[in-house]
């Protein structure tokens, strides 16, 4: 009797409103996941249409990653003050409007500006969608099944973005890479009223938003300055001006936080070597993944002559293998601990990058397909070990901040990786004076990426050796 009742409960279908809520939230989360990769197959076409140089091409992704990573730290505080549904609606509207502006962009500056807004909106959606889903479905088997579906969206969103980006660019043009978001966003916004209306956690101090905004702006400006400094003419007086502005914002933010008595990021979550090491590994993993994506994007389409569709299919070797590596890493962490998984993953990634760097002749598609999975599996395993390390033993009060820090570290690392490989390619172009600068600079750029994994190995040494029982609860 008990067994049949349990089976009946597990098979209880979702109600109409719950299905609509799942659809709206799932589509919104998919938009954020797609935006992380869908632009890559279109980058050569965008650069040609808007006359972007190799030195500035990386800003198409860096602008998104910097704002996405920075706002992730702020969005949990905003959700407390204004409510998740209101924040979700704001983020969704921003992504939709910015996508329309991106699709109609007439200059590179306009497109990069739109990508900044898109990054802010995507961070708000990513932070609030999952909690809203849990509230809409309530406890029970239905929520467990929906959360499993949610995990699949996140795991394969990057791969789907590469494939869709290639198909849209080849068949309809690069502007459709951004237009894809517009109808999805409009429908999702119309469905927002069916979502549960959560209460704001507390009224808060009037200065809290101002202090958090100052701190996040300071961090984003520092990251922007470091990345811009890697480009040609980056070490100019503008660097000092931007750093001065960042310092003023940082001091103002700290002063305002002292008035409120509540910090955006408390020192507690950062004091352990385990968390510092985990954030370092995440930063390097983001650096390597995003840097390799840009390198293969330019090389595959400009040197090998691959179509955007064929390039997108090629890069699934990297994205799918990283998903596999993350699942394998979770299983191994349970038995052998965080440090071993992170060290092994980064070593495998570094070995794959060295294999790409040591080939002087043009890399064939077959060779790329044989080596990229090594990079992906290693990066995926290191990523999941570090992500677990950040949240391991975190208190309930610190868990949201720790999760935001992990995602922000990966995004900021990705932005730095994009700038670093672009700087290498530009430097090689100026030295070699060859008509195919991407091909000429590829071994050096891969070698630089491999060298960055050494910093990740040092950070991984700070991780604990014990396993993480919480992995089984992940999602």
């Amino acid at each position: 009797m008990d067994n049949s009742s349990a089976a009946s409960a597990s098979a209880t279908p979702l109600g109409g409103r719950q299905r609509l809520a799942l659809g709206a939230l799932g589509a919104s989360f998919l938009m954020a996941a797609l935006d992380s990769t869908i632009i890559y197959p279109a980058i050569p076409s965008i650069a040609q249409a808007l006359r972007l140089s190799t030195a500035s091409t990386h800003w198409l992704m860096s602008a998104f990653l910097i704002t996405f990573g920075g706002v992730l730290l702020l969005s949990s505080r905003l959700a407390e003050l204004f409510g998740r549904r209101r924040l979700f609606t704001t983020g969704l509207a921003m992504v939709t409007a910015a996508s329309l502006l991106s699709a109609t962009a007439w200059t590179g500056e306009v497109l990069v500006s739109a990508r900044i807004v898109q990054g802010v909106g995507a961070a708000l959606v990513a932070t609030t969608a999952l909690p809203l889903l849990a509230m809409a479905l309530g406890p029970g088997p239905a929520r467990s099944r929906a959360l499993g579906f949610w995990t699949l969206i996140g795991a394969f969103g990057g791969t789907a973005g590469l494939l869709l980006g290639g198909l849209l660019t080849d068949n309809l043009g690069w502007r459709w890479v951004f237009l894809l978001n517009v109808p999805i966003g409009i429908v999702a916004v119309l469905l927002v009223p069916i979502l549960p209306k959560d209460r704001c956690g507390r009224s808060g101090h009037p200065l809290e938003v101002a202090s958090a905004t100052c701190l996040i702006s300071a961090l984003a400006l520092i990251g922007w300055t470091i990345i811009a400094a890697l480009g040609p003419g980056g070490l100019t007086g503008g660097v000092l001006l931007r750093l001065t502005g960042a310092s003023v914002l940082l001091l103002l933010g700290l002063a305002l936080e002292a008035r409120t008595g509540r910090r955006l990021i408390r020192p507690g979550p950062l004091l352990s070597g385990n968390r510092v090491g985990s954030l370092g590994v995440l930063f390097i993993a983001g650096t390597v993944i995003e840097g390799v994506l840009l390198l293969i994007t330019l090389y595959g389409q400009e040197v090998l002559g691959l179509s955007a569709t064929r390039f997108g299919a090629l890069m699934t070797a990297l994205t799918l293998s990283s998903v596999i590596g993350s699942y394998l890493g979770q299983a191994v962490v349970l038995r052998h601990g965080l440090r071993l998984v992170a060290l092994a993953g980064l070593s495998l990634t570094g070995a794959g990058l060295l294999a790409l760097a040591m080939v002087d002749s043009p890399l064939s598609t077959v060779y790329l397909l044989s080596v990229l999975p090594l990079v992906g599996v290693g990066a995926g395993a290191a990523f999941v070990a570090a992500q677990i390390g950040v949240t391991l033993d975190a208190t309930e009060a610190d868990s949201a901040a720790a999760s935001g820090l992990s995602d922000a570290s990966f995004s900021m690392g990705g932005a730095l990786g994009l700038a670093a490989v672009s700087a290498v390619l530009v430097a090689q172009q100026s030295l070699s004076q060859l008509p195919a600068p991407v091909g000429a600079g590829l071994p050096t750029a891969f070698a630089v990426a491999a060298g960055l994994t050494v910093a990740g190995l040092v950070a991984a040494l700070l991780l604990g050796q014990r396993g993480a029982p919480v992995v089984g609860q992940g999602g």
Side-chain angles (χ1 to χ4, degrees):
M1 186 68 177
D2 292 340
N3 290 337
S4 62
S5 299
S8 175
S10 63
T12 302
L14 296 176
R17 291 179 63 87
Q18 290 178 319
R19 289 180 182 276
L20 288 174
L22 177 60
L25 294 168
S28 304
F29 183 56
L30 181 60
M31 284 172 56
L34 290 175
D35 283 341
S36 66
T37 58
I38 196 170
I39 192 176
Y40 278 106
I43 283 178
S45 298
I46 296 173
Q48 182 179 7
L50 301 182
R51 295 183 176 87
L52 299 178
S53 65
T54 303
S56 58
T57 298
H58 75 88
W59 284 111
L60 297 175
M61 277 303 303
S62 296
F64 177 90
L65 291 172
I66 291 173
T67 52
F68 181 82
V71 175
L72 279 173
L73 299 176
L74 173 62
S75 55
S76 60
R77 172 72 62 84
L78 292 177
E80 292 179 358
L81 296 175
F82 301 113
R84 293 187 180 94
R85 194 176 86 166
R86 184 179 300 172
L87 207 63
F88 171 79
T89 307
T90 302
L92 194 58
M94 292 179 71
V95 171
T96 305
S99 297
L100 183 59
L101 179 59
S102 297
T104 57
W106 54 96
T107 66
E109 291 78 8
V110 172
L111 181 54
V112 170
S113 299
R115 292 287 286 169
I116 291 173
V117 177
Q118 201 172 33
V120 174
L124 298 181
V125 169
T127 303
T128 55
L130 184 58
L132 284 173
L133 177 68
M135 292 170 57
L137 299 183
R143 184 163 72 177
S144 299
R145 293 195 302 271
L147 291 178
F149 172 69
W150 198 264
T151 302
L152 288 176
I153 293 177
F156 293 103
T159 301
L162 289 168
L163 294 173
L164 277 174
L167 289 169
L168 290 172
T169 301
D170 279 341
N171 294 287
L172 297 174
W174 65 266
R175 296 185 186 276
W176 282 89
V177 167
F178 302 108
L179 280 175
L180 179 68
N181 280 344
V182 176
I184 298 175
I186 291 174
V187 172
V189 168
L190 293 176
L191 291 175
V192 161
I194 70 171
L195 299 178
K197 188 174 182 179
D198 57 321
R199 295 180 179 177
C200 303
R202 52 190 184 79
S203 59
H205 194 286
L207 296 179
E208 280 194 39
V209 175
S211 65
T213 302
C214 287
L215 291 175
I216 295 305
S217 299
L219 293 176
L221 188 55
I222 291 171
W224 195 284
T225 302
I226 293 173
I227 291 167
L230 294 174
L235 297 176
T236 62
V239 171
L240 181 60
L241 182 61
R242 287 192 293 267
L243 288 179
T244 300
S247 300
V248 171
L249 287 171
L250 184 62
L251 292 174
L252 179 60
L254 292 175
L256 291 175
E257 282 206 334
R259 292 284 303 274
T260 65
R262 187 169 184 263
R263 297 179 181 178
L264 177 63
I265 302 174
R266 298 189 296 126
L270 294 175
L271 288 181
S272 70
N274 200 47
R275 291 194 177 94
V276 172
S278 297
L279 292 173
V281 171
L282 285 166
F283 187 88
I284 296 301
T287 300
V288 170
I289 288 294
E290 299 293 344
V292 169
L293 276 170
L294 181 62
L295 285 175
I296 302 300
T297 295
L298 298 177
Y299 183 78
Q301 296 191 55
E302 294 185 6
V303 179
L304 296 182
L306 298 178
S307 66
T309 301
R310 291 183 63 189
F311 161 76
L314 169 67
M315 290 312 295
T316 60
L318 179 67
T319 55
L320 286 178
S321 61
S322 67
V323 173
I324 294 172
S326 66
Y327 280 105
L328 291 176
Q330 283 189 11
V332 177
V333 160
L334 288 170
R335 295 188 178 184
H336 301 288
L338 302 171
R339 183 188 300 173
L340 178 63
V341 174
L343 288 173
L346 288 171
S347 298
L348 189 61
T349 298
L353 292 171
L354 285 176
L356 294 171
M358 290 188 297
V359 178
D360 292 329
S361 58
L363 301 174
S364 67
T365 303
V366 174
Y367 188 76
L368 288 172
L369 285 172
S370 65
V371 177
L372 286 178
L374 297 179
V375 178
V377 169
F383 171 84
V384 75
Q387 196 173 45
I388 292 168
V390 172
T391 56
L392 188 63
D393 296 334
T395 64
E396 184 176 352
D398 292 336
S399 59
S403 179
L405 280 171
S406 66
D407 292 336
S409 296
F410 186 84
S411 296
M412 292 294 189
L416 181 63
L418 289 165
V421 299
S422 296
V424 170
L425 293 178
V426 172
Q428 290 294 308
Q429 178 183 11
S430 62
L431 291 174
S432 64
Q433 298 297 320
L434 293 176
V438 175
L442 195 69
T444 304
F446 277 126
V448 169
L452 290 173
T453 61
V454 176
L457 291 172
V458 174
L461 292 175
L462 298 175
L463 298 181
Q465 300 189 55
R466 64 188 180 89
V470 295
V471 176
Q473 305 169 7

